[in-house]
Amino acid sequence: MALGGSAARKHRRYLPSRGRLLNRTTVLAAAVVLLLAASILLGSYTVTIPDFFKILTVHFTGGEKIPGASFIVMEAKLPRAVIGTLIGLAFGLSGALFQTMLRNPLASPDVIGISSGASAAAVLAIVVFGASGAAVSGAALGGAMAVAALIYGISRSGSLGGGGSRGHAAGSRLILAGVGIAAALHAVVSFLMTRADIRTAAEALIWINGSLNSASWDRAGVLALALTVLVPAAALLAGPLRILELGDDAAAGLGIRVGATRLGLVLTAVALAAVATSAAGPVAFVAFLAGPIARRFTGRSSLPASALVGALTVLAADYFAANIAPLLLDGTVLPVGVVTGALGAPFLLWLLVTSNRKDA
């Protein structure tokens, strides 16, 4: 009877926790919608809500367009905001998958070299082959995938899908291999930049910092199509991922195919980071920041909350970069990756300091 009472008390404690998670995730979703609206309606060119809906109606019905306003909203502000939201969702979800699977807050695409692979491939395409537009995005996608395969192959020697201690060792190897490969790729990028002429180097520099300036409906469509496949894949893997948090041995005992599940998680997380990077460049630290911030806000690990925090981070950073930074920097418009990088660097230092205190 006492055991039943204990189980009931645990169940009662679990329900409020789950309800609180749902409520706070709803708050994050509402914040994303509000910030998305602010990105479209406010800024250097403001649009009223009635005018916005009139522009949308005219665009889809083929009526008479509002001179200037229709172009600014439909070809500049709206695709930029949509792509910012989508890449934020993708980066946030990718980082949360890596961090939860490897049980390490440093395990994000920024840190383990996947974004560096995309950057190196894109710069190579721009500087050596004179590529632009979709070709650069395709090169970035291929570079991210190739580096991810290399890192996974190196760590696989320790069996990422192995038992508890072997799984931890392989996860550590994956992070260390990624950091080492990222350092090498940064050297490659620096070398290529020194060999480029000033105009080509300027184009490459804007891209590798992460920018939404080249946002277009074509990129938004490709990104949305990719997410319609990858987000359901992440949702299907969320249940096994939660069981993997108990440890590889416990998960295997509960019937989870640990190796196959980890491979599926790695492929999904890499693809999310790769498609986001190919759309806007390696927007620094979004994947790294989203998971820990979401965990502190909701009180537990949550893939939806992490994705929403990623979208919030990108939208807020881009609004600052495009509208507030020019007022502070004599008209200079910053790439969004510069702002997120400035946010992520002190957060990384704070995380390392707090981790050292816990270990002590």
Side-chain angles (χ1 to χ4, degrees), residues 48 104 261 353:
T48 64
N104 191 321
T261 300
V353 169

Side-chain angles (χ1 to χ4, degrees), residues 13-29 242 291 293-306 308-309:
R13 285 199 302 270
Y14 177 73
L15 286 177
S17 174
R18 191 174 181 185
R20 185 165 58 249
L21 172 64
L22 181 60
N23 290 337
R24 295 192 176 186
T25 303
T26 303
V27 169
L28 289 173
R242 187 68 61 194
I293 293 174
R295 190 178 304 112
R296 289 182 176 275
F297 183 73
T298 61
R300 58 176 11 185
S301 297
S302 170
L303 296 182
S306 299
L308 291 169
V309 169

Side-chain angles (χ1 to χ4, degrees), residues 51-66:
D51 282 347
F52 173 71
F53 284 107
K54 181 179 179 181
I55 290 169
L56 278 184
T57 303
V58 166
H59 181 80
F60 289 111
T61 59
E64 184 178 354
K65 296 182 178 180
I66 302 175

Side-chain angles (χ1 to χ4, degrees), residues 22 95 104 107 117 135 138-139 149 157 174 176-177 187 191 200 212 226 247 296 300 307 312 320 334 349:
L22 181 60
N104 191 321
S157 62
L174 187 146
L176 291 173
F191 172 76
T200 303
L212 296 176
R296 289 182 176 275
R300 58 176 11 185
L312 275 174
F320 178 88
L334 297 175
L349 295 175

Side-chain angles (χ1 to χ4, degrees), residues 72-307:
I72 291 172
V73 171
M74 297 306 303
E75 301 301 327
K77 292 172 81 70
L78 190 55
R80 185 185 186 110
V82 169
I83 288 183
T85 303
L86 293 178
I87 66 168
L89 292 171
F91 276 129
L93 189 54
S94 175
L97 287 172
F98 272 120
Q99 289 165 343
T100 305
M101 178 183 65
L102 299 176
R103 283 167 276 177
N104 191 321
L106 295 178
S108 77
D110 317 276
V111 177
I112 64 176
I114 294 169
S115 296
S116 299
S119 297
V123 172
L124 180 68
I126 293 171
V127 173
V128 177
F129 299 104
S132 61
V136 177
S137 298
L141 182 63
M145 291 292 190
V147 169
L150 177 61
I151 295 170
Y152 186 81
I154 293 172
S155 64
R156 194 70 177 88
S157 62
S159 182
L160 252 179
S165 60
R166 287 192 299 163
H168 280 299
S172 299
R173 269 192 295 274
L174 187 146
I175 295 171
L176 291 173
V179 170
I181 291 172
L185 290 172
H186 280 304
V188 171
V189 169
S190 298
F191 172 76
L192 290 172
M193 294 290 281
T194 62
R195 306 296 296 175
D197 64 78
I198 188 66
R199 298 182 66 178
T200 303
E203 180 186 350
L205 185 61
I206 292 174
W207 196 93
I208 63 178
N209 280 326
S211 174
L212 296 176
N213 292 338
S214 58
S216 66
W217 286 117
D218 289 339
R219 291 191 180 189
V222 172
L223 187 55
L225 183 62
L227 292 185
T228 58
V229 176
L230 295 172
V231 171
L236 288 175
L237 291 167
L241 176 61
R242 187 68 61 194
I243 298 174
L244 278 178
E245 289 187 84
L246 302 174
D248 292 353
D249 294 331
L254 292 171
I256 298 296
R257 297 175 60 191
V258 175
T261 300
R262 284 189 183 276
L263 179 59
L265 287 166
V266 168
L267 290 175
T268 303
V270 167
L272 284 164
V275 296
T277 303
S278 67
V283 183
F285 285 123
V286 175
F288 172 71
L289 290 167
I293 293 174
R295 190 178 304 112
R296 289 182 176 275
F297 183 73
T298 61
R300 58 176 11 185
S301 297
S302 170
L303 296 182
S306 299

